[in-house]
Amino acid sequence: MTQSRICQMLDIEYPIFQGAMAWVAEEQLASAVSEAGGLGLIASGHAPKEVIKEKIDRARELTDKTFGVNIMLMSPFVEDIVDLVIEERVKVITTGAGSPGKYMKRFKEVGIIVIPVVASVAQAKRMEKEGADAVVVEGMEGGGHIGKSTTMTLVPQVADAVSIPVIAAGGIGDGRGVAAAIMLGAEAVQLGTRFLVSKESIAHDNFKGKVLKAKDIDTVITGLLTGHPVRGLRNRLTKVFEKAEREEGGKAKPDFDRLEDLGKGALKRAVIDGDTKDSSMMAGQIAGLISKENQTCAEIIQELISETTEVLKNRTTFWNV
């Protein structure tokens, strides 16, 4: 695996990324994933520069391995965060909610590896043209903000359309998923929900417990009316949100402020406060497959590698023509 393009590019042992989950992807989780041989990511979210600077400093105290920072391009502090990763010479960044094109030249001047998250072939091709080093291709099975295509259909189309490495995300939680992503043309995978329940994750135990008990049909998508769909576990808030969307959807002029207000602070209430009723418990459909609690990031990664190796080895004799 260390011979793969993505591992060589990032100087990591395993082609496994940890998803940049807001409020969850803190320095503790990112450093643990990187220390275990994967790529840990600190989610900058909507935090100001000084907060992310402290997280970067702390991560460097916890590991000397490669870790990255995810930049939310819609953040009110995006310019400051761009300045910060350049000043700190962060080795790799991932980006979401927009195009990093306007900053690409500055990133490249200091040797930062840029990996945007995309949800379509057109976005992937555009990112390659603008100088991206790789792309995370995220299917709608994933938790949090999602696109319209599934991982199964999107990954091979992007892999055929670009020459840079593709990292598959969305609906991957075990070695079978990793192996499937590789067969679809990905050179690495990104997992969010599986790492959310890890020992090093700061997510509240109440939130983790809901993920671990989830069944295959326990996630729902809200926010379709606003154009910013989000996948999370069903609870009282998602029911309120669905009712509000039905009501607003029937109006000539929907009250989008009403819908936005429902989501304000909802993720923090799940991750930090442990509220499982009136919160946004962002999690992917793969939650129904995740049942092992209190695993360390190292244990998760070693299990993924072992399972993937076994799956790929066994399947070589399956299709014998």
Side-chain angles (χ1 to χ4, degrees):
M1 290 187 181
T2 54
Q3 299 306 308
S4 72
R5 285 194 297 173
I6 203 72
C7 288
Q8 290 181 337
M9 179 190 298
L10 301 174
D11 191 24
I12 58 177
E13 188 173 359
Y14 305 118
I16 297 175
F17 287 29
Q18 159 245 313
M21 302 163 283
W23 290 102
V24 177
E26 301 285 279
E27 64 273 21
Q28 300 95 319
L29 181 59
S31 60
V33 171
S34 291
E35 192 68 14
L39 179 73
L41 291 165
I42 295 171
S44 65
H46 295 289
K49 181 177 181 179
E50 58 271 18
V51 171
I52 304 305
K53 171 69 163 62
E54 291 179 3
K55 296 182 187 301
I56 292 172
D57 290 344
R58 179 59 177 154
R60 285 174 169 162
E61 293 174 359
L62 295 171
T63 185
D64 60 359
K65 305 290 182 63
T66 302
F67 68 88
V69 172
N70 172 266
I71 301 178
M72 182 61 65
L73 296 168
M74 291 180 64
S75 166
F77 302 106
V78 63
E79 300 293 339
D80 289 341
I81 301 301
V82 168
D83 290 342
L84 175 65
V85 297
I86 291 172
E87 292 164 6
E88 293 295 317
R89 297 297 194 272
V90 173
K91 183 165 184 174
V92 56
I93 63 165
T94 61
T95 64
S99 168
K102 64 182 290 189
Y103 309 111
M104 196 68 76
K105 182 179 179 182
R106 295 180 62 200
F107 290 145
K108 294 300 182 179
E109 286 176 346
V110 294
I112 293 177
I113 296 167
V114 182
I115 307 178
V117 178
V118 301
S120 72
V121 172
Q123 287 178 340
K125 291 171 72 173
R126 178 184 173 190
M127 291 302 97
E128 180 177 39
K129 186 176 180 180
E130 291 184 354
D133 297 282
V135 286
V136 174
V137 178
E138 188 170 42
M140 67 177 295
E141 300 95 322
H145 295 277
I146 59 172
K148 296 181 179 180
S149 298
T150 65
T151 305
M152 183 77 174
T153 58
L154 186 58
V155 169
Q157 291 183 72
V158 173
D160 286 348
V162 300
S163 60
I164 54 178
V166 168
I167 299 98
I172 301 171
D174 64 4
R176 291 171 295 181
V178 178
I182 293 171
M183 292 298 98
L184 292 173
E187 297 184 37
V189 295
Q190 177 172 288
L191 296 85
T193 308
R194 181 74 188 270
F195 284 121
L196 184 150
V197 300
S198 68
K199 185 175 183 179
E200 292 91 347
S201 165
I202 67 165
H204 198 285
D205 285 345
N206 292 350
F207 186 7
K208 291 182 180 180
K210 287 293 184 180
V211 172
L212 292 168
K213 293 177 182 178
K215 297 181 176 61
D216 59 328
I217 59 172
D218 283 349
T219 67
V220 63
I221 299 172
T222 57
L224 287 168
L225 183 62
T226 66
H228 302 289
V230 173
R231 183 184 296 282
L233 296 177
R234 298 177 187 274
N235 62 3
R236 187 161 60 193
L237 180 62
T238 63
K239 291 178 181 178
V240 170
F241 211 111
E242 289 177 315
K243 181 175 183 291
E245 286 192 297
R246 286 194 300 270
E247 293 172 352
E248 297 300 330
K251 298 178 181 179
K253 188 177 181 181
D255 184 355
F256 292 114
D257 289 339
R258 174 192 178 189
L259 299 176
E260 287 185 13
D261 287 343
L262 286 174
K264 286 182 179 178
L267 179 57
K268 179 178 179 292
R269 291 197 294 272
V271 177
I272 305 301
D273 303 333
D275 178 355
T276 60
K277 295 182 179 180
D278 300 303
S279 65
S280 179
M281 294 186 289
M282 294 185 184
Q285 286 183 309
I286 203 66
L289 186 71
I290 298 171
S291 59
K292 295 182 180 179
E293 58 183 316
N294 213 34
Q295 280 188 304
T296 65
C297 291
E299 289 171 338
I300 291 172
I301 288 177
Q302 286 304 315
E303 186 174 281
L304 288 169
I305 297 304
S306 176
E307 290 175 347
T308 304
T309 302
E310 190 67 22
V311 168
L312 293 176
K313 182 176 67 176
N314 289 342
R315 292 306 184 268
T316 59
T317 59
F318 177 75
W319 192 258
N320 187 13
V321 294

